[in-house]
């Protein structure tokens, strides 16, 4: 509030035309070139008239938006991707899905190993009539 009561003083002393020209020349020499301004996205990189540049930019943005919307409309649903085995059928966080797959693989291996250990002997299968005597795999 103290600044509002005493605003800063502005130097209003006149500048001579020679000083003004020298100052302007100095600033024009350090002025960035057009390519640099385009690279920094200060100027638009287009050949359109300045009056049309805004409209051209809006049209380009709208074209990109429409293209993105079309792509999203054609995007398959998650269930379809799971059916095609593109996405895993898992509700686990992505960070632990790899560990979940590894655990499932080990569980299948353990289950298979257990089933192989407990499978019936060929003699039992012949007695039950599942195998014929000449189909005995041990002979």
């Amino acid at each position: 509030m103290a600044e509002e009561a005493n605003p800063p003083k502005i130097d209003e002393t006149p500048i001579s035309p020679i000083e003004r020209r020298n100052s302007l020349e100095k600033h024009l020499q350090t002025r960035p070139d057009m390519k640099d301004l385009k690279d920094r996205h200060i100027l638009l990189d287009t050949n359109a008239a300045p009056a049309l540049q805004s409209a051209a930019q809006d049209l380009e943005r709208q074209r990109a938006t429409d293209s993105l919307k079309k792509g999203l409309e054609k995007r398959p649903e998650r269930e379809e991707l799971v059916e095609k085995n593109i996405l895993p059928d898992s509700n686990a966080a992505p960070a632990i899905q790899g560990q979940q797959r590894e655990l499932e693989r080990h569980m299948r291996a353990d289950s298979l190993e257990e089933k192989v250990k407990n499978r019936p002997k060929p003699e039992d299968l012949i007695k039950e009539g599942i195998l014929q005597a000449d189909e005995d795999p041990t002979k």
Side-chain angles (χ1 to χ4, degrees), residues 24-83:
L24 182 59
E25 286 177 8
K26 178 182 170 189
H27 286 292
L28 286 175
Q29 288 174 353
T30 60
R31 180 180 182 181
D33 63 344
M34 191 177 282
K35 182 181 181 329
D36 183 40
L37 293 173
K38 286 179 181 180
D39 290 344
R40 292 172 30 200
H41 301 288
I42 295 171
L43 285 179
L44 295 177
D45 191 14
T46 180
N47 294 330
L52 300 176
Q53 287 179 356
S54 176
Q57 190 176 18
D58 290 343
L59 284 173
E60 181 62 29
R61 183 176 288 121
Q62 189 62 41
R63 187 188 65 74
T65 302
D66 291 345
S67 174
L68 184 59
K69 283 181 182 177
K70 265 187 209 172
L72 288 174
E73 287 172 0
K74 292 180 182 177
R75 184 179 186 182
E77 293 295 321
R78 184 181 192 285
E79 293 78 27
E80 184 180 339
L81 295 174
V82 168
E83 282 178 20

Side-chain angles (χ1 to χ4, degrees), residues 1-26:
M1 290 194 179
E3 290 180 20
E4 289 178 12
N6 295 326
K9 293 186 178 183
I10 299 174
D11 185 12
E12 295 181 9
T13 56
I15 299 174
S16 71
I18 295 173
E19 287 178 356
R20 180 171 288 161
R21 186 174 18 147
N22 290 342
S23 173
L24 182 59
E25 286 177 8
K26 178 182 170 189

Side-chain angles (χ1 to χ4, degrees), residues 107-119:
M107 288 172 63
R108 279 194 305 270
D110 291 344
S111 172
L112 183 59
E113 188 176 321
E114 186 66 28
K115 288 177 183 176
V116 167
K117 284 181 183 176
N118 295 330
R119 73 178 175 186

